[in-house]
Amino acid sequence: MKALEGVKILDMTHVQSGPTCTQLLAWFGADVIKVERPGVGDATRKQLVDVPGADSLYFTMLNHNKRSVTLNTKSDEGKAIFTKLIQHCDVMVENFAPGALDRMGFSWEKIQEINPRMIYASVKGFGPGPYSECKVYENVAQCAGGSASTTGMLGDVPMVTGAQIGDSGTGLHLALGIVTALYQRTHSGKGQRVECAMQDSVLNLCRVKLRDQQRLKAGPLTEYSQYGEGIPFGDATPRAGNDSGGGQPGRILKCKGWETDPNAYTYFITQAAVWEKICDVIGKPEWKTDEDFATPKARLPRLNQIFGAIEDWTMTKTKFEVMEICNPLDIPVGPILSMKEIAEEPSLRDTGTVVEVDHPERGAYLTVGNPIKLSDCPADVKRSPLLGEHTDEILAEIGLNPDEIEAAKSGGAV
């Protein structure tokens, strides 16, 4: 039995943040009914298309294990069917623009009236406040949530990250809120609202930078490179390049082949507990007793010199040789893996982290699998649905007979 088997999700989401949330719930066994506009569907079905006539990878990789029903919620008959779906489901998830469902006639109060046990989950750009009515996209969320201002090289422009911490990050937060509300409902018997703002989610993932903002009041952030370079700190957490965000200094260093391979790099952390082993590996045994290098505090103003010496060594090794040498010594290192290397890594296929899925329109493609592994609930990744593929069976499940289904189709309701 799947962990969320029996839970029915009314999926009114589109693009990335909401579909990330509902796909995760579907992987755990929830029956996710994706509601889409007739003839159009989720906008991402036809965004960044790489195979003519087929749904895009953007859509397929965010909508596995779901069923698709088409519905015109602007028509009276469509509204009646939507009401039946609300009665039928446990959770409704949406990431519309602020007020969209209210304008359709389905406010939170109306939804509670239709189904008092309904959990109504929403992704918004901002929480209550001056920007609550603003639309937000991935990079806007990264900027408004504090990520961009602390990412990039000191003195350069702010940078967004390639990780979708605004969209997918918010979807992951929302999924936790939903299963928490479902658990509480087992005691209270009542549904409730679950809201997750993209700005809030990004900030939650940037908490160490908020930590550093407060530490600035006590003086310079000594683990940042600029401290050793004599560059004064301002009144806000600065951009720190590839410095480690923790108390153990770390940087990305060149490895053998970096001149032609843009990913021939490793991340190397000078953890205090293994400092003496690092000295031996890089050929600097004298640093173990030198008062300028022997203690973490003494090393902080000299990080450029230290990482320069380490890089002299890493440049003589491939990024994988660095791992092979350092890992047995408990020296924390990690190769910079390209998406090509990740896609071709057998161990990630074995664990279901990367999965090959067959699709009737596009053939086989790679996608991510469930990153959360439950011992008694393996997550099987099933292909995304074609537009309206399950309309007839879902309408039958909510009580429409064959004649009513045909009438809904001919009337443009589905």
Side-chain angles (χ1 to χ4, degrees), residues 183-338:
Y183 178 76
Q184 186 174 9
R185 195 181 70 175
T186 63
H187 301 291
S188 68
K190 298 179 181 178
Q192 62 180 300
R193 290 205 67 169
V194 179
E195 290 189 334
C196 200
M198 293 173 72
Q199 181 187 39
D200 299 358
S201 296
V202 171
L203 177 57
N204 187 42
L205 296 173
C206 293
R207 67 183 69 179
V208 297
K209 299 301 182 180
L210 183 60
R211 171 204 68 189
D212 290 348
Q213 178 63 42
Q214 297 170 87
R215 290 174 57 228
L216 272 172
K217 297 176 183 177
L221 305 175
T222 56
E223 77 281 9
Y224 281 54
S225 297
Q226 70 181 80
Y227 170 71
E229 296 167 2
I231 301 173
F233 285 79
D235 60 359
T237 305
R239 289 183 274 287
N242 288 313
D243 289 347
S244 171
Q248 308 290 340
R251 287 194 195 174
I252 290 178
L253 305 177
K254 298 172 183 174
C255 291
K256 188 176 182 179
W258 69 272
E259 299 92 341
T260 55
D261 181 354
N263 295 299
Y265 291 82
T266 189
Y267 201 91
F268 198 109
I269 298 175
T270 56
Q271 188 175 28
V274 291
W275 172 247
E276 293 189 357
K277 294 178 182 179
I278 293 171
C279 293
D280 289 334
V281 164
I282 66 172
K284 293 286 186 181
E286 67 276 12
W287 280 0
K288 291 188 286 187
T289 55
D290 188 323
E291 63 181 13
D292 288 340
F293 298 94
T295 65
K297 184 176 182 180
R299 291 193 289 273
L300 288 173
R302 299 171 176 83
L303 292 180
N304 284 345
Q305 182 182 355
I306 291 168
F307 282 112
I310 297 172
E311 189 170 57
D312 287 341
W313 176 76
T314 60
M315 288 170 64
T316 69
K317 312 291 180 186
T318 69
K319 60 189 178 185
F320 298 110
E321 289 172 339
V322 172
M323 281 193 72
E324 290 167 3
I325 294 168
C326 292
N327 280 351
L329 300 173
D330 294 326
I331 299 172
V333 296
I336 307 304
L337 295 180
S338 69

Side-chain angles (χ1 to χ4, degrees), residues 362-379:
R362 65 178 304 115
Y365 66 95
L366 285 184
T367 187
V368 295
N370 192 342
I372 304 169
K373 319 296 186 188
L374 300 185
S375 62
D376 291 338
C377 180

Side-chain angles (χ1 to χ4, degrees), residues 97-112:
L101 274 179
D102 287 5
R103 291 188 291 272
M104 284 169 50
F106 292 92
S107 64
W108 166 231
E109 291 73 23
K110 179 66 174 177
I111 292 168
Q112 280 185 304

